[in-house]
Amino acid sequence: QLMDDLKTYDASMTKELKKEVLRLNSIIEGLIKLSNIDWLKDLSNNNLNDSVLEIIKELKFRITEKKIKINLDIPENIQIKANKDYFYIFLSNIIWNAIKYNNKKWIINISYNDWKLIISDSWIWINKKDLDKIFDRFFKGDKSRNSEGFWIWLSLVKKIVDIYMWKIEVKSDEKSWSSFVIKF
């Protein structure tokens, strides 16, 4: 409609419009997936290590671009029972945030011990007053207000955690790391 009204063709505008449409489509797909309760019936064993490696491989370009080092310490035999798509959405969103907002040390540690997955990174410190809100739909903390996106993904993560009755905790210290701790 915008291009039609302007009666001009601008390649950069077209690129931005396409990017925005893809972003909105992605949000809609995520919301549809979470509203479909039948997905809960489609459970399978998901190998945690393989799932994390697959996501890292898919995000390799961003990891290389930001010169991030990922330390992975997950036993190869850990199986998590969940819907495969929900599990992917869950893991990929936490890992993507760790990559996107990685800030100081350019390191991400992903480890597993005693039914706990810990994803720690040197990302932007999360203010204590924001820790309880980061899973709210459309919430953006002060340090991320200039970033693109609609900030719905962590609310999807929380919804999946609630569906499977897992526990998730976020720890952040301005002198240290930010960590997502998930207990399965």
Side-chain angles (χ1 to χ4, degrees), residues 76-89:
E76 297 211 9
N77 62 343
I78 301 303
Q79 300 290 322
I80 306 297
K81 193 165 197 89
N83 173 280
K84 184 177 175 101
D85 293 320
Y86 274 15
F87 194 63
Y88 177 84
I89 290 168

Side-chain angles (χ1 to χ4, degrees), residues 51-163:
S51 297
V52 170
L53 287 173
E54 178 185 338
I55 292 165
I56 289 170
K57 183 178 178 184
E58 289 176 11
L59 298 173
K60 189 71 174 166
F61 174 75
R62 284 291 201 170
I63 293 166
T64 304
E65 178 183 64
K66 291 188 84 172
K67 299 178 182 155
I68 294 172
K69 179 180 184 216
I70 297 184
N71 298 318
L72 189 60
D73 183 19
I74 300 175
E76 297 211 9
N77 62 343
I78 301 303
Q79 300 290 322
I80 306 297
K81 193 165 197 89
N83 173 280
K84 184 177 175 101
D85 293 320
Y86 274 15
F87 194 63
Y88 177 84
I89 290 168
F90 169 77
L91 281 178
S92 65
N93 281 303
I94 295 174
I95 294 170
W96 170 244
N97 272 320
I99 293 166
K100 185 175 181 179
Y101 298 105
N102 203 296
N103 194 26
K104 297 174 187 168
K105 299 176 183 106
W106 310 110
I107 297 171
I108 297 172
N109 293 320
I110 304 174
S111 62
Y112 178 87
N113 189 10
D114 194 28
W115 291 100
K116 287 183 190 170
L117 175 67
I118 302 169
I119 301 174
S120 299
D121 56 72
S122 53
W123 78 335
I124 298 171
W125 169 64
I126 306 167
N127 193 315
K128 284 191 189 283
K129 71 179 177 69
D130 293 340
L131 282 176
D132 291 339
K133 300 174 196 165
I134 66 167
F135 294 110
D136 294 348
R137 281 188 196 131
F138 308 113
F139 175 76
K140 277 191 176 189
D142 292 338
K143 295 181 180 178
S144 59
R145 294 223 182 263
N146 295 328
S147 65
E148 63 183 39
F150 292 98
W151 279 70
I152 195 165
W153 301 114
L154 286 179
S155 69
L156 294 178
V157 164
K158 179 67 168 115
K159 180 74 173 172
I160 292 167
V161 163
D162 292 345
I163 286 169

